[in-house]
Structures are given as structure tokens and as C-alpha cells.
Amino acid sequence: MDRIVICRCEEVDLEEIEQTLINYQCSMREIKLRTRAGMGYCGGRTCRPALNAILEKVSGEKQPHQIPLKVQPPVRPVSLGRIGETNYE
Amino acid sequence: MNSHRILDHPVLGKLTIEKEIPFTFDGKKYTGYEGDTIASALLAQGIRTLRVHEESGSPRGIYCNIGHCFECRVTVDGTPGIRACLTELNPDMIIESGKQQFSPFKSTENQDDLPRTYAEFEKQLKGEKEDEPDV
Ligand code: FES
């Protein structure tokens, strides 16, 4: 049990996120771009609270840094084919 | 065989067995019961690995079981990304688990370790030693 996976979609573990946070002193958005945590198939809906909690713990501030992880549509994964289809029933 | 099913639940009572529903998972035939989700039918057969991670190949199965996390996605009758935990089992469904994919952009120490053909990739997946390249 020494490897705690935080983002299951992209398989990013706690240690990698903490290390990246310590090394770059960055926002959660930057963590997402560096490690791909929260960038996977589920749209980051599963690990976002955990990611924010990790940032809070490492930086020691409530609502640390300026750039949060944003939430944007679609709320669940949709294939491009579905969006483009004109006569989809 | 549905050996992992709870037939007599302390709160929910006895299971009244409804219609049997045949389906196929990764080319093997199984039966579930009417009202099963794909995930519950497979769990009852002792199958917990619904897919593997596309890049690393580590196993994935039911995680949230409420349709939130997409960890349980399988391919049903050719449609990928179907959540096994939310999708009701229909007769003669053809279900395929998610497989490991190529990761062509991953940096490697030694480029000779990379598979050059699909046959080599499959061999590496099975953990076999690489031999003469197929011509
Ligand atoms: S287990 Fe989470 S979506 Fe099915």
C-alpha cells in the first residue's frame, strides 16, 4: 500500500503530485498540466476534491493560489462523433 | 455458475431468481439474471477486472458503482465507453474489456526496447522475451 493513486484515469499517485507541488510551488491548474492529474476520462470529477485537499495540505493555506481547477461542460464524456452527428436520435 | 451472489441477505431477504440472461464477455459465454447490471453479473461470476489502464495496463474495475468515475467502462456491442455499473444487462450482449494501448510518445531510455511490430507489442504485453523480429 505504499503507492496511493489519486487520479485513477491518468494513474497519478500522491507522491508525484506532492513532489511536483514542492518543486514548482504552483497552482493546481499547473499541477494538472504537469502531471495530467484530473485530466483524464472522467473529466477530473473524481479526484478534484482530493487534488485541492493536497494543495491545501502542502501549501498550508485555505484556498491557496490564484488559479483553481475549473469545471466545464460537458458533464460526462461525449464522443466527438456524437456532437457532430446531425440526425442523432 | 453464479457463486459470488448473495442469495439470502439479512436485510433484503431471499433472492428471487428471475429470468436468466446469456451474454458474452471477452469471447466467453456467461449467464446473469434479469435486473443485473453488466458489473453485477460479472462480479457474480468472480470477474472484477473490467478493463486495464490504457497506458500502464494495471487492472481497473468497479470503483464508485454509481456512474460517476467511468472506471468500469467497457465496450458493448461495439460501442466503447459504456459504464458497466449503470448499464442493465440485455440478452446476448457482446461485452469487451478495455485493453492496453500503444503509448508512442512516451520517452524511453533505450529505443531498442520499443516494439517495432504489433506482434512484438503483443509479445511484450504477455511478458515474453523478444526474439527474432517477425518478417
Ligand atoms: S464504477 Fe464508477 S462509473 Fe461505474
Side-chain angles (χ1 to χ4, degrees), chain A residues 11-82:
Chain A
E11 207 163 84
V12 189
D13 59 28
L14 179 61
E15 197 188 330
E16 187 179 345
I17 296 167
E18 283 183 342
Q19 269 316 314
T20 315
L21 267 173
I22 291 164
N23 291 346
Y24 296 99
Q25 294 292 320
C26 55
S27 67
M28 216 4 108
R29 168 139 176 88
E30 194 174 325
I31 288 294
K32 171 172 158 179
L33 298 175
R34 285 186 185 279
T35 66
R36 291 195 62 84
M39 217 176 189
Y41 198 104
C42 79
R45 290 177 309 139
T46 314
C47 65
R48 186 180 295 119
L51 291 175
N52 287 330
I54 295 166
L55 179 59
E56 238 176 75
K57 193 186 106 193
V58 172
S59 70
E61 306 162 35
K62 261 256 175 246
Q63 293 221 306
H65 301 301
Q66 292 306 303
I67 311 166
L69 285 175
K70 67 177 171 177
V71 182
Q72 64 187 24
V75 290
R76 58 179 69 91
V78 177
S79 75
L80 286 175
R82 256 190 169 193

Side-chain angles (χ1 to χ4, degrees), chain B residues 38 49 81 84 101 109:
Chain B
I38 295 173
T49 306
Q101 309 282 320
E109 301 280 287

Side-chain angles (χ1 to χ4, degrees), chain B residues 62-65 67-72 83 85:
Chain B
I62 300 171
Y63 183 53
C64 72
N65 205 28
H68 182 74
C69 68
F70 283 82
E71 281 294 286
C72 63
R83 286 166 292 179
C85 68

